[in-house]
Amino acid sequence: GGVVRDAEGVTAELCPGAIQVLQTFRTLPISKVAVLSRMHTPGNADHLLSAVVLGKGVTAKSAVTFVAMCPGLSKSRQISETLRATMAKSSLESLRRRTKVEFSDMLYMGPESRVCRELSSLGITCKRLPYGLSEDVWLDALELFRQ
């Protein structure tokens, strides 16, 4: 894991294994990597990704092709898994339009089974992450995607 601060001084904690996963982006035989997430202040995403150093002169921001951050909901607000699935589907449809990458060429990873089911129905390869992201889980997801 690790901790970075955004432009407003808000702390963001990285999942254990996140740095190792991000480092693999540079060696993958793929042409486009997108980061799609929700955060309280989406405008700070560039700063956060730039603050994550992956190697000499390489940041997480330089390792990805597209960054799409959507406004998140406050942590105190509980929403249904159905609504989360709808939001994820909408976000990925928007990403497909922006990037021209087909659903069949996308890999999505997230904790909610309903979201994964909805996105799988679009042809997106999904890997459920009930315990967060680790390097082993990432490698398993890549293998699933290759199949």
Side-chain angles (χ1 to χ4, degrees):
V3 176
V4 294
R5 292 190 194 286
D6 70 13
E8 296 174 358
V10 176
T11 301
E13 192 172 332
L14 299 174
C15 299
I19 298 295
Q20 293 83 357
V21 167
L22 290 167
Q23 286 173 330
T24 66
F25 286 0
R26 298 181 297 157
T27 60
L28 293 173
I30 56 177
S31 59
K32 296 177 184 176
V33 175
V35 173
L36 175 66
S37 191
R38 293 193 177 279
M39 58 188 303
H40 186 62
T41 312
N44 291 338
D46 284 342
H47 176 79
L48 288 172
L49 289 170
S50 295
V52 177
V53 177
L54 302 177
K56 188 175 181 177
V58 180
T59 65
K61 182 166 176 24
S62 66
V64 300
T65 313
F66 300 100
V67 178
M69 295 292 168
C70 306
L73 300 170
S74 68
K75 287 186 178 183
S76 62
R77 182 162 177 213
Q78 296 295 318
I79 63 171
S80 71
E81 221 175 281
T82 302
L83 181 55
R84 287 190 192 282
T86 301
M87 292 166 64
K89 192 173 177 181
S90 174
S91 294
L92 284 164
E93 286 170 342
S94 174
L95 183 67
R96 182 183 66 165
R97 284 190 301 274
R98 284 182 49 212
T99 63
K100 307 292 188 243
V101 174
E102 292 301 318
F103 288 142
S104 60
D105 293 326
M106 292 184 185
L107 169 63
Y108 171 85
M109 295 179 291
E112 290 137 339
S113 57
R114 174 75 183 256
V115 173
C116 287
R117 279 194 310 273
E118 287 288 323
L119 297 179
S120 291
S121 73
L122 297 175
I124 297 170
T125 301
C126 293
K127 175 71 174 172
R128 191 164 168 263
L129 306 175
Y131 306 108
L133 183 62
S134 68
E135 190 172 7
D136 288 341
V137 170
W138 169 244
L139 294 174
D140 287 346
L142 287 179
E143 184 58 34
L144 179 66
F145 183 70
R146 285 185 189 111
Q147 296 172 5

PDB file of all heavy atoms in Angstrom, residues 47-82:
ATOM      1  N   HIS A  47      -3.440  14.779  -9.939  1.00  0.00           N
ATOM      2  CA  HIS A  47      -2.433  15.023  -8.905  1.00  0.00           C
ATOM      3  C   HIS A  47      -2.094  13.731  -8.168  1.00  0.00           C
ATOM      4  O   HIS A  47      -0.924  13.414  -7.941  1.00  0.00           O
ATOM      5  CB  HIS A  47      -2.914  16.089  -7.918  1.00  0.00           C
ATOM      6  CG  HIS A  47      -1.977  16.301  -6.787  1.00  0.00           C
ATOM      7  ND1 HIS A  47      -0.829  17.066  -6.909  1.00  0.00           N
ATOM      8  CD2 HIS A  47      -1.988  15.815  -5.525  1.00  0.00           C
ATOM      9  CE1 HIS A  47      -0.184  17.047  -5.760  1.00  0.00           C
ATOM     10  NE2 HIS A  47      -0.872  16.305  -4.900  1.00  0.00           N
ATOM     11  N   LEU A  48      -3.120  12.970  -7.788  1.00  0.00           N
ATOM     12  CA  LEU A  48      -2.884  11.724  -7.063  1.00  0.00           C
ATOM     13  C   LEU A  48      -2.095  10.723  -7.899  1.00  0.00           C
ATOM     14  O   LEU A  48      -1.139  10.114  -7.420  1.00  0.00           O
ATOM     15  CB  LEU A  48      -4.209  11.099  -6.631  1.00  0.00           C
ATOM     16  CG  LEU A  48      -4.942  11.803  -5.497  1.00  0.00           C
ATOM     17  CD1 LEU A  48      -6.317  11.192  -5.301  1.00  0.00           C
ATOM     18  CD2 LEU A  48      -4.146  11.740  -4.213  1.00  0.00           C
ATOM     19  N   LEU A  49      -2.491  10.544  -9.155  1.00  0.00           N
ATOM     20  CA  LEU A  49      -1.783   9.600 -10.018  1.00  0.00           C
ATOM     21  C   LEU A  49      -0.347  10.050 -10.280  1.00  0.00           C
ATOM     22  O   LEU A  49       0.557   9.227 -10.393  1.00  0.00           O
ATOM     23  CB  LEU A  49      -2.537   9.410 -11.333  1.00  0.00           C
ATOM     24  CG  LEU A  49      -3.849   8.637 -11.218  1.00  0.00           C
ATOM     25  CD1 LEU A  49      -4.633   8.721 -12.516  1.00  0.00           C
ATOM     26  CD2 LEU A  49      -3.614   7.191 -10.814  1.00  0.00           C
ATOM     27  N   SER A  50      -0.133  11.353 -10.340  1.00  0.00           N
ATOM     28  CA  SER A  50       1.221  11.874 -10.537  1.00  0.00           C
ATOM     29  C   SER A  50       2.083  11.686  -9.296  1.00  0.00           C
ATOM     30  O   SER A  50       3.308  11.615  -9.379  1.00  0.00           O
ATOM     31  CB  SER A  50       1.176  13.361 -10.906  1.00  0.00           C
ATOM     32  OG  SER A  50       0.547  13.524 -12.149  1.00  0.00           O
ATOM     33  N   ALA A  51       1.447  11.610  -8.132  1.00  0.00           N
ATOM     34  CA  ALA A  51       2.185  11.451  -6.876  1.00  0.00           C
ATOM     35  C   ALA A  51       2.607  10.011  -6.617  1.00  0.00           C
ATOM     36  O   ALA A  51       3.459   9.753  -5.772  1.00  0.00           O
ATOM     37  CB  ALA A  51       1.333  11.960  -5.711  1.00  0.00           C
ATOM     38  N   VAL A  52       2.034   9.064  -7.346  1.00  0.00           N
ATOM     39  CA  VAL A  52       2.380   7.651  -7.160  1.00  0.00           C
ATOM     40  C   VAL A  52       3.543   7.311  -8.086  1.00  0.00           C
ATOM     41  O   VAL A  52       3.385   7.215  -9.298  1.00  0.00           O
ATOM     42  CB  VAL A  52       1.168   6.732  -7.445  1.00  0.00           C
ATOM     43  CG1 VAL A  52       1.558   5.270  -7.323  1.00  0.00           C
ATOM     44  CG2 VAL A  52       0.014   7.064  -6.510  1.00  0.00           C
ATOM     45  N   VAL A  53       4.722   7.163  -7.504  1.00  0.00           N
ATOM     46  CA  VAL A  53       5.937   6.892  -8.273  1.00  0.00           C
ATOM     47  C   VAL A  53       6.097   5.382  -8.436  1.00  0.00           C
ATOM     48  O   VAL A  53       6.098   4.631  -7.463  1.00  0.00           O
ATOM     49  CB  VAL A  53       7.176   7.490  -7.566  1.00  0.00           C
ATOM     50  CG1 VAL A  53       8.443   7.152  -8.332  1.00  0.00           C
ATOM     51  CG2 VAL A  53       7.015   8.995  -7.414  1.00  0.00           C
ATOM     52  N   LEU A  54       6.222   4.954  -9.698  1.00  0.00           N
ATOM     53  CA  LEU A  54       6.339   3.531 -10.010  1.00  0.00           C
ATOM     54  C   LEU A  54       7.778   3.110 -10.279  1.00  0.00           C
ATOM     55  O   LEU A  54       8.106   1.941 -10.234  1.00  0.00           O
ATOM     56  CB  LEU A  54       5.484   3.185 -11.232  1.00  0.00           C
ATOM     57  CG  LEU A  54       4.006   3.507 -11.119  1.00  0.00           C
ATOM     58  CD1 LEU A  54       3.297   3.173 -12.419  1.00  0.00           C
ATOM     59  CD2 LEU A  54       3.378   2.758  -9.957  1.00  0.00           C
ATOM     60  N   GLY A  55       8.600   4.065 -10.587  1.00  0.00           N
ATOM     61  CA  GLY A  55       9.992   3.796 -10.919  1.00  0.00           C
ATOM     62  C   GLY A  55      10.652   5.108 -11.279  1.00  0.00           C
ATOM     63  O   GLY A  55      10.022   6.168 -11.250  1.00  0.00           O
ATOM     64  N   LYS A  56      11.896   5.042 -11.651  1.00  0.00           N
ATOM     65  CA  LYS A  56      12.645   6.251 -11.986  1.00  0.00           C
ATOM     66  C   LYS A  56      11.974   7.000 -13.143  1.00  0.00           C
ATOM     67  O   LYS A  56      11.892   6.498 -14.258  1.00  0.00           O
ATOM     68  CB  LYS A  56      14.083   5.888 -12.358  1.00  0.00           C
ATOM     69  CG  LYS A  56      14.970   7.081 -12.532  1.00  0.00           C
ATOM     70  CD  LYS A  56      16.398   6.678 -12.782  1.00  0.00           C
ATOM     71  CE  LYS A  56      17.253   7.933 -12.932  1.00  0.00           C
ATOM     72  NZ  LYS A  56      18.658   7.591 -13.101  1.00  0.00           N
ATOM     73  N   GLY A  57      11.436   8.173 -12.834  1.00  0.00           N
ATOM     74  CA  GLY A  57      10.807   9.007 -13.848  1.00  0.00           C
ATOM     75  C   GLY A  57       9.446   8.510 -14.328  1.00  0.00           C
ATOM     76  O   GLY A  57       8.922   9.010 -15.315  1.00  0.00           O
ATOM     77  N   VAL A  58       8.874   7.512 -13.664  1.00  0.00           N
ATOM     78  CA  VAL A  58       7.590   6.959 -14.091  1.00  0.00           C
ATOM     79  C   VAL A  58       6.580   7.084 -12.956  1.00  0.00           C
ATOM     80  O   VAL A  58       6.833   6.650 -11.842  1.00  0.00           O
ATOM     81  CB  VAL A  58       7.721   5.474 -14.496  1.00  0.00           C
ATOM     82  CG1 VAL A  58       6.378   4.916 -14.929  1.00  0.00           C
ATOM     83  CG2 VAL A  58       8.746   5.301 -15.594  1.00  0.00           C
ATOM     84  N   THR A  59       5.451   7.688 -13.278  1.00  0.00           N
ATOM     85  CA  THR A  59       4.362   7.809 -12.303  1.00  0.00           C
ATOM     86  C   THR A  59       3.164   6.997 -12.784  1.00  0.00           C
ATOM     87  O   THR A  59       3.124   6.579 -13.950  1.00  0.00           O
ATOM     88  CB  THR A  59       3.923   9.278 -12.135  1.00  0.00           C
ATOM     89  OG1 THR A  59       3.356   9.731 -13.367  1.00  0.00           O
ATOM     90  CG2 THR A  59       5.076  10.176 -11.709  1.00  0.00           C
ATOM     91  N   ALA A  60       2.210   6.795 -11.901  1.00  0.00           N
ATOM     92  CA  ALA A  60       0.989   6.089 -12.304  1.00  0.00           C
ATOM     93  C   ALA A  60       0.302   6.834 -13.439  1.00  0.00           C
ATOM     94  O   ALA A  60      -0.236   6.222 -14.359  1.00  0.00           O
ATOM     95  CB  ALA A  60       0.057   5.928 -11.107  1.00  0.00           C
ATOM     96  N   LYS A  61       0.339   8.161 -13.411  1.00  0.00           N
ATOM     97  CA  LYS A  61      -0.301   8.945 -14.471  1.00  0.00           C
ATOM     98  C   LYS A  61       0.344   8.684 -15.826  1.00  0.00           C
ATOM     99  O   LYS A  61      -0.343   8.569 -16.839  1.00  0.00           O
ATOM    100  CB  LYS A  61      -0.270  10.430 -14.142  1.00  0.00           C
ATOM    101  CG  LYS A  61      -0.977  11.277 -15.194  1.00  0.00           C
ATOM    102  CD  LYS A  61      -1.240  12.661 -14.700  1.00  0.00           C
ATOM    103  CE  LYS A  61      -1.839  13.589 -15.698  1.00  0.00           C
ATOM    104  NZ  LYS A  61      -2.574  13.076 -16.798  1.00  0.00           N
ATOM    105  N   SER A  62       1.658   8.558 -15.854  1.00  0.00           N
ATOM    106  CA  SER A  62       2.332   8.321 -17.134  1.00  0.00           C
ATOM    107  C   SER A  62       2.146   6.888 -17.639  1.00  0.00           C
ATOM    108  O   SER A  62       2.392   6.603 -18.801  1.00  0.00           O
ATOM    109  CB  SER A  62       3.825   8.652 -17.026  1.00  0.00           C
ATOM    110  OG  SER A  62       4.489   7.758 -16.153  1.00  0.00           O
ATOM    111  N   ALA A  63       1.702   5.978 -16.764  1.00  0.00           N
ATOM    112  CA  ALA A  63       1.530   4.575 -17.146  1.00  0.00           C
ATOM    113  C   ALA A  63       0.140   4.278 -17.708  1.00  0.00           C
ATOM    114  O   ALA A  63      -0.096   3.190 -18.205  1.00  0.00           O
ATOM    115  CB  ALA A  63       1.800   3.672 -15.946  1.00  0.00           C
ATOM    116  N   VAL A  64      -0.781   5.240 -17.623  1.00  0.00           N
ATOM    117  CA  VAL A  64      -2.139   5.000 -18.113  1.00  0.00           C
ATOM    118  C   VAL A  64      -2.461   5.912 -19.296  1.00  0.00           C
ATOM    119  O   VAL A  64      -1.891   6.990 -19.429  1.00  0.00           O
ATOM    120  CB  VAL A  64      -3.202   5.172 -16.997  1.00  0.00           C
ATOM    121  CG1 VAL A  64      -2.963   4.198 -15.867  1.00  0.00           C
ATOM    122  CG2 VAL A  64      -3.254   6.576 -16.482  1.00  0.00           C
ATOM    123  N   THR A  65      -3.370   5.461 -20.128  1.00  0.00           N
ATOM    124  CA  THR A  65      -3.767   6.201 -21.321  1.00  0.00           C
ATOM    125  C   THR A  65      -4.949   7.125 -21.042  1.00  0.00           C
ATOM    126  O   THR A  65      -4.987   8.251 -21.508  1.00  0.00           O
ATOM    127  CB  THR A  65      -4.163   5.211 -22.440  1.00  0.00           C
ATOM    128  OG1 THR A  65      -3.170   4.197 -22.542  1.00  0.00           O
ATOM    129  CG2 THR A  65      -4.312   5.922 -23.768  1.00  0.00           C
ATOM    130  N   PHE A  66      -5.917   6.617 -20.282  1.00  0.00           N
ATOM    131  CA  PHE A  66      -7.127   7.378 -19.984  1.00  0.00           C
ATOM    132  C   PHE A  66      -7.372   7.392 -18.480  1.00  0.00           C
ATOM    133  O   PHE A  66      -7.191   6.375 -17.819  1.00  0.00           O
ATOM    134  CB  PHE A  66      -8.361   6.751 -20.655  1.00  0.00           C
ATOM    135  CG  PHE A  66      -8.274   6.686 -22.150  1.00  0.00           C
ATOM    136  CD1 PHE A  66      -7.931   5.512 -22.785  1.00  0.00           C
ATOM    137  CD2 PHE A  66      -8.551   7.802 -22.918  1.00  0.00           C
ATOM    138  CE1 PHE A  66      -7.848   5.438 -24.159  1.00  0.00           C
ATOM    139  CE2 PHE A  66      -8.472   7.745 -24.295  1.00  0.00           C
ATOM    140  CZ  PHE A  66      -8.120   6.566 -24.919  1.00  0.00           C
ATOM    141  N   VAL A  67      -7.795   8.522 -17.993  1.00  0.00           N
ATOM    142  CA  VAL A  67      -8.206   8.643 -16.598  1.00  0.00           C
ATOM    143  C   VAL A  67      -9.616   9.207 -16.605  1.00  0.00           C
ATOM    144  O   VAL A  67      -9.866  10.273 -17.157  1.00  0.00           O
ATOM    145  CB  VAL A  67      -7.274   9.582 -15.794  1.00  0.00           C
ATOM    146  CG1 VAL A  67      -7.769   9.715 -14.371  1.00  0.00           C
ATOM    147  CG2 VAL A  67      -5.843   9.073 -15.824  1.00  0.00           C
ATOM    148  N   ALA A  68     -10.535   8.463 -16.033  1.00  0.00           N
ATOM    149  CA  ALA A  68     -11.926   8.912 -15.954  1.00  0.00           C
ATOM    150  C   ALA A  68     -12.369   8.812 -14.504  1.00  0.00           C
ATOM    151  O   ALA A  68     -12.581   7.716 -13.993  1.00  0.00           O
ATOM    152  CB  ALA A  68     -12.808   8.060 -16.850  1.00  0.00           C
ATOM    153  N   MET A  69     -12.426   9.927 -13.858  1.00  0.00           N
ATOM    154  CA  MET A  69     -12.868   9.958 -12.471  1.00  0.00           C
ATOM    155  C   MET A  69     -14.233  10.609 -12.409  1.00  0.00           C
ATOM    156  O   MET A  69     -14.457  11.671 -12.994  1.00  0.00           O
ATOM    157  CB  MET A  69     -11.893  10.746 -11.595  1.00  0.00           C
ATOM    158  CG  MET A  69     -10.536  10.130 -11.480  1.00  0.00           C
ATOM    159  SD  MET A  69     -10.632   8.595 -10.553  1.00  0.00           S
ATOM    160  CE  MET A  69      -9.020   7.922 -10.885  1.00  0.00           C
ATOM    161  N   CYS A  70     -15.135   9.964 -11.726  1.00  0.00           N
ATOM    162  CA  CYS A  70     -16.491  10.457 -11.573  1.00  0.00           C
ATOM    163  C   CYS A  70     -16.696  10.909 -10.144  1.00  0.00           C
ATOM    164  O   CYS A  70     -16.079  10.377  -9.229  1.00  0.00           O
ATOM    165  CB  CYS A  70     -17.486   9.345 -11.897  1.00  0.00           C
ATOM    166  SG  CYS A  70     -17.216   8.591 -13.507  1.00  0.00           S
ATOM    167  N   PRO A  71     -17.578  11.868  -9.955  1.00  0.00           N
ATOM    168  CA  PRO A  71     -17.855  12.278  -8.570  1.00  0.00           C
ATOM    169  C   PRO A  71     -18.372  11.095  -7.766  1.00  0.00           C
ATOM    170  O   PRO A  71     -19.205  10.325  -8.230  1.00  0.00           O
ATOM    171  CB  PRO A  71     -18.948  13.340  -8.719  1.00  0.00           C
ATOM    172  CG  PRO A  71     -18.908  13.760 -10.138  1.00  0.00           C
ATOM    173  CD  PRO A  71     -18.370  12.592 -10.921  1.00  0.00           C
ATOM    174  N   GLY A  72     -17.840  10.929  -6.587  1.00  0.00           N
ATOM    175  CA  GLY A  72     -18.279   9.849  -5.717  1.00  0.00           C
ATOM    176  C   GLY A  72     -19.329  10.327  -4.749  1.00  0.00           C
ATOM    177  O   GLY A  72     -19.630  11.513  -4.657  1.00  0.00           O
ATOM    178  N   LEU A  73     -19.883   9.403  -4.053  1.00  0.00           N
ATOM    179  CA  LEU A  73     -20.860   9.723  -3.025  1.00  0.00           C
ATOM    180  C   LEU A  73     -20.133   9.785  -1.695  1.00  0.00           C
ATOM    181  O   LEU A  73     -19.119   9.128  -1.501  1.00  0.00           O
ATOM    182  CB  LEU A  73     -21.945   8.646  -2.987  1.00  0.00           C
ATOM    183  CG  LEU A  73     -22.708   8.479  -4.294  1.00  0.00           C
ATOM    184  CD1 LEU A  73     -23.580   7.241  -4.232  1.00  0.00           C
ATOM    185  CD2 LEU A  73     -23.553   9.698  -4.573  1.00  0.00           C
ATOM    186  N   SER A  74     -20.655  10.556  -0.786  1.00  0.00           N
ATOM    187  CA  SER A  74     -20.008  10.645   0.517  1.00  0.00           C
ATOM    188  C   SER A  74     -20.010   9.266   1.160  1.00  0.00           C
ATOM    189  O   SER A  74     -20.904   8.455   0.931  1.00  0.00           O
ATOM    190  CB  SER A  74     -20.728  11.644   1.414  1.00  0.00           C
ATOM    191  OG  SER A  74     -22.001  11.150   1.759  1.00  0.00           O
ATOM    192  N   LYS A  75     -18.973   9.002   1.951  1.00  0.00           N
ATOM    193  CA  LYS A  75     -18.850   7.685   2.571  1.00  0.00           C
ATOM    194  C   LYS A  75     -20.042   7.356   3.457  1.00  0.00           C
ATOM    195  O   LYS A  75     -20.372   6.207   3.656  1.00  0.00           O
ATOM    196  CB  LYS A  75     -17.563   7.615   3.380  1.00  0.00           C
ATOM    197  CG  LYS A  75     -16.329   7.536   2.539  1.00  0.00           C
ATOM    198  CD  LYS A  75     -15.108   7.322   3.388  1.00  0.00           C
ATOM    199  CE  LYS A  75     -13.884   7.200   2.516  1.00  0.00           C
ATOM    200  NZ  LYS A  75     -12.693   6.932   3.292  1.00  0.00           N
ATOM    201  N   SER A  76     -20.685   8.370   3.976  1.00  0.00           N
ATOM    202  CA  SER A  76     -21.796   8.118   4.882  1.00  0.00           C
ATOM    203  C   SER A  76     -23.072   7.724   4.141  1.00  0.00           C
ATOM    204  O   SER A  76     -23.995   7.194   4.727  1.00  0.00           O
ATOM    205  CB  SER A  76     -22.073   9.348   5.743  1.00  0.00           C
ATOM    206  OG  SER A  76     -22.443  10.428   4.920  1.00  0.00           O
ATOM    207  N   ARG A  77     -23.118   7.964   2.847  1.00  0.00           N
ATOM    208  CA  ARG A  77     -24.329   7.660   2.082  1.00  0.00           C
ATOM    209  C   ARG A  77     -24.294   6.224   1.582  1.00  0.00           C
ATOM    210  O   ARG A  77     -23.405   5.829   0.849  1.00  0.00           O
ATOM    211  CB  ARG A  77     -24.452   8.617   0.903  1.00  0.00           C
ATOM    212  CG  ARG A  77     -25.717   8.356   0.126  1.00  0.00           C
ATOM    213  CD  ARG A  77     -26.100   9.503  -0.749  1.00  0.00           C
ATOM    214  NE  ARG A  77     -27.281   9.100  -1.490  1.00  0.00           N
ATOM    215  CZ  ARG A  77     -27.534   9.497  -2.715  1.00  0.00           C
ATOM    216  NH1 ARG A  77     -26.732  10.323  -3.309  1.00  0.00           N
ATOM    217  NH2 ARG A  77     -28.613   9.089  -3.335  1.00  0.00           N
ATOM    218  N   GLN A  78     -25.253   5.458   1.981  1.00  0.00           N
ATOM    219  CA  GLN A  78     -25.359   4.075   1.549  1.00  0.00           C
ATOM    220  C   GLN A  78     -26.260   4.020   0.317  1.00  0.00           C
ATOM    221  O   GLN A  78     -27.332   4.596   0.315  1.00  0.00           O
ATOM    222  CB  GLN A  78     -25.958   3.211   2.663  1.00  0.00           C
ATOM    223  CG  GLN A  78     -25.095   3.143   3.897  1.00  0.00           C
ATOM    224  CD  GLN A  78     -23.775   2.434   3.622  1.00  0.00           C
ATOM    225  OE1 GLN A  78     -23.736   1.428   2.936  1.00  0.00           O
ATOM    226  NE2 GLN A  78     -22.693   2.979   4.145  1.00  0.00           N
ATOM    227  N   ILE A  79     -25.813   3.345  -0.713  1.00  0.00           N
ATOM    228  CA  ILE A  79     -26.656   3.161  -1.885  1.00  0.00           C
ATOM    229  C   ILE A  79     -26.742   1.673  -2.188  1.00  0.00           C
ATOM    230  O   ILE A  79     -25.877   0.892  -1.804  1.00  0.00           O
ATOM    231  CB  ILE A  79     -26.157   3.944  -3.116  1.00  0.00           C
ATOM    232  CG1 ILE A  79     -24.778   3.454  -3.563  1.00  0.00           C
ATOM    233  CG2 ILE A  79     -26.148   5.428  -2.846  1.00  0.00           C
ATOM    234  CD1 ILE A  79     -24.341   4.022  -4.889  1.00  0.00           C
ATOM    235  N   SER A  80     -27.773   1.295  -2.882  1.00  0.00           N
ATOM    236  CA  SER A  80     -27.987  -0.120  -3.177  1.00  0.00           C
ATOM    237  C   SER A  80     -26.973  -0.612  -4.205  1.00  0.00           C
ATOM    238  O   SER A  80     -26.422   0.156  -4.990  1.00  0.00           O
ATOM    239  CB  SER A  80     -29.399  -0.326  -3.720  1.00  0.00           C
ATOM    240  OG  SER A  80     -29.499   0.214  -5.022  1.00  0.00           O
ATOM    241  N   GLU A  81     -26.767  -1.911  -4.189  1.00  0.00           N
ATOM    242  CA  GLU A  81     -25.887  -2.525  -5.168  1.00  0.00           C
ATOM    243  C   GLU A  81     -26.452  -2.345  -6.571  1.00  0.00           C
ATOM    244  O   GLU A  81     -25.710  -2.217  -7.538  1.00  0.00           O
ATOM    245  CB  GLU A  81     -25.702  -4.015  -4.838  1.00  0.00           C
ATOM    246  CG  GLU A  81     -24.283  -4.465  -5.028  1.00  0.00           C
ATOM    247  CD  GLU A  81     -24.063  -5.892  -4.600  1.00  0.00           C
ATOM    248  OE1 GLU A  81     -23.939  -6.149  -3.403  1.00  0.00           O
ATOM    249  OE2 GLU A  81     -24.003  -6.752  -5.504  1.00  0.00           O
ATOM    250  N   THR A  82     -27.773  -2.295  -6.692  1.00  0.00           N
ATOM    251  CA  THR A  82     -28.416  -2.075  -7.985  1.00  0.00           C
ATOM    252  C   THR A  82     -28.038  -0.704  -8.543  1.00  0.00           C
ATOM    253  O   THR A  82     -27.689  -0.571  -9.719  1.00  0.00           O
ATOM    254  CB  THR A  82     -29.947  -2.187  -7.862  1.00  0.00           C
ATOM    255  OG1 THR A  82     -30.261  -3.477  -7.351  1.00  0.00           O
ATOM    256  CG2 THR A  82     -30.627  -1.973  -9.192  1.00  0.00           C
TER     257      THR A  82
END
